[in-house]
Amino acid sequence: MMDLTSKYLGLNLKNPIVIGSCSLTSNVSEIKKLEKHGAGAVVLKSIFEEEILMDAENQLQEAKENSFIYDKYSETLDYIDIHVKEANLNAYIQLIKGAKKEVLIPVIASINCVSSAEWTSFAKRIEEAGADALELNISLNPTDMEIRDFETTIKEIIQKVLKTVNIPVAVKINNSFTHMARTILDLSETGIAGLVLFNRAYTPDIDINTMEAVQGRSFSSPENFVESMRWIALLSDQVNCSMAASSGIHTSEAIIKQILAGADVVQLVSVLYEKGAEQINILLNELEKWMTEKGFSSLKQFKGKASSKNVGNPAVFERIQFMKHYAGIN
Ligand SMILES: Cc1cc2nc3c(=O)[nH]c(=O)nc-3n(C[C@H](O)[C@H](O)[C@H](O)COP(=O)(O)O)c2cc1C
């Protein structure tokens, strides 16, 4: 019997496949389906700091356009503001409670945030609703000229949330930092239970017919997994928390590589949109088949076997220049 169990954020998972935050995890029946097809855990669709505010803003705008309400009962605006926020937040709390009632796998809530303001008290309600852990998708925008120090902002958010909740907190980051290795190591020392590398950044494109800017691909490509694999291989032996690999994991080969690099779990999203929840079982079977071929009976036996500390040539992960490689190409 193969042992696919893995510990992530202090939680015991039956296997290392975690469904990443997305609309597939935004309702209980889908979550049940993901569990049925073998998911080890789910990260719920994020509740967005902006989303809550924007909903309230829209309703406020409508009320303002209706001058009767606006002029005569301007206090209504305060009511709508609070009410709309409450409706959104309650729906999220119900999602957590519903999922916890219906599935046995760990349910990780998710908040997409950019500041340590308003929303942090909501983390307590998430905990009280029964979430097994909380993932913070800290989406600071690298094009934002106002923020001078992303790392400090992230640490402020973490500190505030860790003061608020006792459940494990994971932090999902983007792949754009001035000094990635240092940032990852520092964040791992803040008291968080895990790091998720990386969130997939929105990609723009240009339509050459209309010559307009358009949205690029929403889904990742299978080759994108290499980016997180590199940092996980380099740092999994040194960080003081769990590591989840995310972005571009579409195949069992990518899952195996991430575990060999030292990841505790992998998060899947795009592949499930493209191929359906059935893919989870297919990937798990392929993982087991590879383990059998290699003579492994548990993940622990090969986790980190190809981390930078354990490979003969760590420079493969460290090198950023291609000079020598290209020099050999005729
Ligand atoms: C349709 C869609 C919705 C997503 N929604 C969220 C979200 O609410 N919160 C979040 O942290 N990430 C969200 N993501 C990002 C995914 O969780 C994941 O990090 C990203 O897609 C990379 O993984 P993949 O290559 O397996 O798709 C979303 C991705 C997709 C494609």
Side-chain angles (χ1 to χ4, degrees), residues 21-22 45-46 48 137 172 199 219-220 246-248 269-270 273:
S21 177
C22 64
K45 168 94 184 134
S46 302
F48 285 63
N137 178 353
K172 184 177 183 182
N199 193 21
F219 298 134
S220 62
S246 161
S247 282
V269 171
S270 292
Y273 277 98

Side-chain angles (χ1 to χ4, degrees), residues 9 133-136 158 161-162 165-171 191-195:
L9 312 177
L134 172 62
E135 183 179 287
L136 303 177
I158 291 172
V161 175
L162 290 183
V165 294
N166 296 312
I167 49 174
V169 174
V171 171
I192 57 171
L195 274 166

Side-chain angles (χ1 to χ4, degrees), residues 82 113 134 299:
I82 293 163
C113 52
L134 172 62
L299 289 193

Side-chain angles (χ1 to χ4, degrees), residues 35-47:
E35 181 184 50
K36 191 181 116 213
H37 287 289
V42 289
V43 184
L44 301 181
K45 168 94 184 134
S46 302
I47 182 145

Side-chain angles (χ1 to χ4, degrees), residues 71-87:
D71 292 343
K72 252 186 154 177
Y73 304 104
S74 55
E75 276 179 19
T76 324
L77 298 179
D78 297 335
Y79 170 75
I80 291 172
D81 189 19
I82 293 163
H83 180 75
V84 171
K85 281 184 194 177
E86 268 310 299

Side-chain angles (χ1 to χ4, degrees), residues 37-108:
H37 287 289
V42 289
V43 184
L44 301 181
K45 168 94 184 134
S46 302
I47 182 145
F48 285 63
E49 213 181 313
E50 292 158 303
E51 181 190 23
I52 300 163
L53 297 172
M54 212 190 303
D55 258 11
E57 279 297 317
N58 288 343
Q59 301 247 353
L60 280 171
Q61 197 49 45
E62 251 176 58
K64 280 180 187 167
E65 280 162 17
N66 181 342
S67 57
F68 174 72
I69 296 177
Y70 186 55
D71 292 343
K72 252 186 154 177
Y73 304 104
S74 55
E75 276 179 19
T76 324
L77 298 179
D78 297 335
Y79 170 75
I80 291 172
D81 189 19
I82 293 163
H83 180 75
V84 171
K85 281 184 194 177
E86 268 310 299
N88 265 333
L89 304 186
N90 284 338
Y92 202 71
I93 294 299
Q94 289 315 315
L95 174 64
I96 298 168
K97 286 185 175 168
K100 281 302 294 173
K101 208 167 129 208
E102 297 291 334
V103 297
L104 294 171
I105 54 175
V107 173
I108 302 168

